[in-house]
Every structure is written in structure tokens, then in C-alpha cells.
Amino acid sequence: TWVGIGGRGETRRRVGDYVHPRQGHDDRDAQMEVLTARRPREMPDSAMDLGVASCPKPGEKVCGDHHMVATFDKGTLIAVVDALGHGDDAFHAAQVAERALREDPSESVIGLVKRCHAVLRGTRGVVMSLARCEAHSGLLTWIGVGNVEGVLVQTTSGSMPTKANLLHRGGVVGSSLPPLRAEVIDVTNGALLLFATDGVQEAFADNLNPDPRTAQEIADDCLRRYAKDSDDALVLCARLRGHPAS
């Protein structure tokens, strides 16, 4: 089971993260950081190829888009959290959500959203998307509240890639929770899961396919090409284990 949550602020580092300062031709590129989680310690060995790229809104020092990955006995939970607005208050709200998710990553994705809703009251709130992957069954369970985009791209033997989009429901975790419904999808080996916050243009998913690049290279490329200048931005990419393609 795996959980992905939002991004990282400049002041925040986790053991296992590999940080690349990015350089480019404008202010956004100059302050962009790509945070790479190659085989982080909380992931089971060889469980998946994971990449994360994030950057704060130009002029901000911290990012309110966070991600989280945690494992439990049956799988991995991945979460991406986007706190409303930007700056220190957004960074704090995203941290509160991440701590709540880490308390028990084995809980159902609906239960986790409700847990976050309870602890986020009094903050500015967040939107989030969660995915739970159980490699032994080849099943992915995902849910979204708000506008963190989720895309799953996979290929069966001899066929063109297929793309599934996460159906996220309008609302704000911490203030206005909608009726919750999770979706379960059968996953093949090598499928790509991507989450992107609304600081990334929706076109990031237009030409995705399970290509041979690493998950980090895909996340990095999406952020470089599609990050907006008006908000924090984060892209998470994971290459999953599931059933053999047939």
C-alpha cells in the first residue's frame, strides 16, 4: 500500500530524499527544487520506482504541496496534499495532514481522508489524493478530494497504453468534505501512477505512456514543462508492481 502527499518546502528534508537545485532562464527555474526519493527507507526493497518534483510559488521560501509515502504489512500508501494558498500557513496545514496520514497508513483511504478532515479543522484546509497499492493482489484503490489530479497509465501485452483518470470530488479537507467514494483498479506490472497539484497545467498528462525513463525523470520533466508561475507545484510519479501484462 502506498501513500503520496504533496511536496517539500526548502527548509524540510527527509532521510532518503535526494535534492537537486534546478537552474533555468527565469526566476521560477532558479528556485525550483526537484526532490528525488530513490529507494527511500520507508519503502520495501525494490517495491517501486518513485520520483517527486516540487517547487514553491515564485517569491515563497516554503511549499504547501507535500507528498508522503508509507508502507504497511500488505502494501504501500501514496498521498499528495495541496494546502489552500501558499506560504507558511499552507506549509503548516500540509504538515498536519501528513502527520495524520502517517499515524496509520494501513487504514482505508476513506478512513484516512476522514482522519485528516478532523485534525485539519481550524487550519486553511487541504485538497488531497491518495492511492493504496497492494502488490500481492495487483489492486490499486484511490480517492481524491479537490483538484489534485491523478492519472494511471498502463499497457497490456500487444495493446496501446490505456489511461484512467482519478474521479476527484469537490471539497476541502478540513472544512467541507463531500460524500466519499473510492475506486478500485486492477494494475499491471510497470503501470505509471502520477499525481499533480493544481500548480501544474492539466496538459501534463496528455502524452504520458509507460516509457523506459525513470519515475524521477518523468516527474522532473512534467514539472519543468508544465509548472505554473501562480502557485506551488508538485508532481509525483510511481512505477507500480501488479499483475503481469496479458
Side-chain angles (χ1 to χ4, degrees), residues 95-179:
Q95 283 187 311
V96 171
E98 181 173 353
R99 286 195 295 267
L101 290 167
R102 286 191 179 278
E103 286 182 6
D104 185 7
S106 67
E107 191 173 357
S108 72
V109 292
I110 290 178
L112 288 167
V113 172
K114 290 180 176 178
R115 177 193 296 270
C116 289
H117 183 63
V119 301
L120 283 164
R121 291 188 181 279
T123 72
R124 59 177 50 191
V126 308
V127 295
M128 63 168 56
S129 290
L130 312 180
R132 171 187 174 113
C133 184
E134 298 183 357
H136 70 284
S137 65
L139 295 179
L140 170 75
T141 305
W142 61 355
I143 191 171
V145 176
N147 56 356
V148 174
E149 297 291 335
V151 180
L152 180 69
V153 183
Q154 52 186 339
T155 303
T156 57
S157 181
S159 71
M160 296 293 291
T162 60
K163 184 169 68 175
N165 292 88
L166 173 63
L167 178 61
H168 42 79
R169 299 174 182 274
V172 176
V173 181
S175 64
S176 55
L177 202 63

Side-chain angles (χ1 to χ4, degrees), residues 10 26-32 55-63 86-87 199 227-233:
E10 292 182 355
D26 57 21
D27 291 342
R28 181 65 179 234
D29 289 337
Q31 72 176 164
M32 182 179 292
C55 58
K57 179 182 177 181
E60 297 289 351
K61 293 184 177 181
V62 294
C63 184
H86 46 83
K228 302 176 184 177
D229 289 333
S230 56
D231 201 356
D232 301 335

Side-chain angles (χ1 to χ4, degrees), residues 183-233:
E183 183 181 7
V184 180
I185 300 177
D186 210 25
V187 174
T188 58
N189 272 329
L192 287 179
L193 173 78
L194 285 98
F195 283 140
T197 62
D198 67 347
V200 179
Q201 301 172 46
E202 292 183 10
F204 85 93
D206 286 351
N207 298 305
L208 290 173
N209 60 76
D211 61 38
R213 292 180 298 170
T214 67
Q216 183 58 47
E217 289 171 336
I218 295 171
D220 190 358
D221 183 58
C222 286
L223 189 71
R224 284 185 175 277
R225 295 173 62 189
Y226 298 111
K228 302 176 184 177
D229 289 333
S230 56
D231 201 356
D232 301 335

Side-chain angles (χ1 to χ4, degrees), residues 14-76:
R14 176 180 304 162
V15 173
D17 285 349
Y18 184 66
V19 182
H20 297 277
R22 297 297 175 178
Q23 297 179 349
H25 57 77
D26 57 21
D27 291 342
R28 181 65 179 234
D29 289 337
Q31 72 176 164
M32 182 179 292
E33 289 187 337
V34 175
L35 302 175
T36 308
R38 291 192 181 95
R39 302 170 72 86
R41 294 185 179 182
E42 70 263 36
M43 294 293 296
D45 190 41
S46 301
M48 67 180 66
D49 178 22
L50 177 69
V52 180
S54 70
C55 58
K57 179 182 177 181
E60 297 289 351
K61 293 184 177 181
V62 294
C63 184
D65 295 355
H66 285 206
H67 81 278
M68 191 199 75
V69 179
T71 61
F72 54 95
D73 57 349
K74 292 184 178 180
T76 308

